[in-house]
Amino acid sequence: MDVVETKEAPAAIGPYSQGVVAGGLLFASGQISLDPTTGELVGDTAAEQAEQVMRNVGALLAAAGTDFEHVAKATCFLADLGDFAAVNEVYARSFGAHLPARSAVQVAGLPKGALVEVEVVAEVPGA
């Protein structure tokens, strides 16, 4: 296994890695809307937070040598499922025509009071 670490995405806020590549796949830890430089949440709405979340996911994908087109599975965690449409719009822009498998669930709470968290599993070409 290879640990993925990049300053372009927020540092882990607990005892875990930003991501791990194993068996040709990136298993990326869930990303909330933390600014990688300040460690502070970005955005007041779910849509605003989703923009930063997807930037963070993109940074992890790039650090592992892959991209959104190689994502096989995404899981979206929302503090309020009523925000699904707004988050889905941001999510869709990140993936374009590529449609990975996905789950979206409402949760009781997310780290630091975030409204959105996204984790992905992606193929890493050549790994």
Side-chain angles (χ1 to χ4, degrees), residues 45-114:
T45 68
E48 291 169 347
Q49 288 191 13
E51 294 283 355
Q52 183 65 46
V53 167
M54 298 313 288
R55 280 192 292 275
N56 293 344
V57 169
L60 284 178
L61 290 166
T66 191
D67 55 33
F68 283 104
E69 290 187 11
H70 289 90
V71 172
K73 173 74 166 89
T75 305
C76 302
F77 304 95
L78 303 170
D80 181 350
L81 208 49
D83 291 327
F84 178 79
V87 171
N88 195 51
E89 184 177 319
V90 175
Y91 173 96
R93 281 197 311 269
S94 296
F95 285 97
H98 176 65
L99 302 174
R102 180 181 73 183
S103 300
V105 296
Q106 179 173 313
V107 295
L110 291 168
K112 296 193 173 246

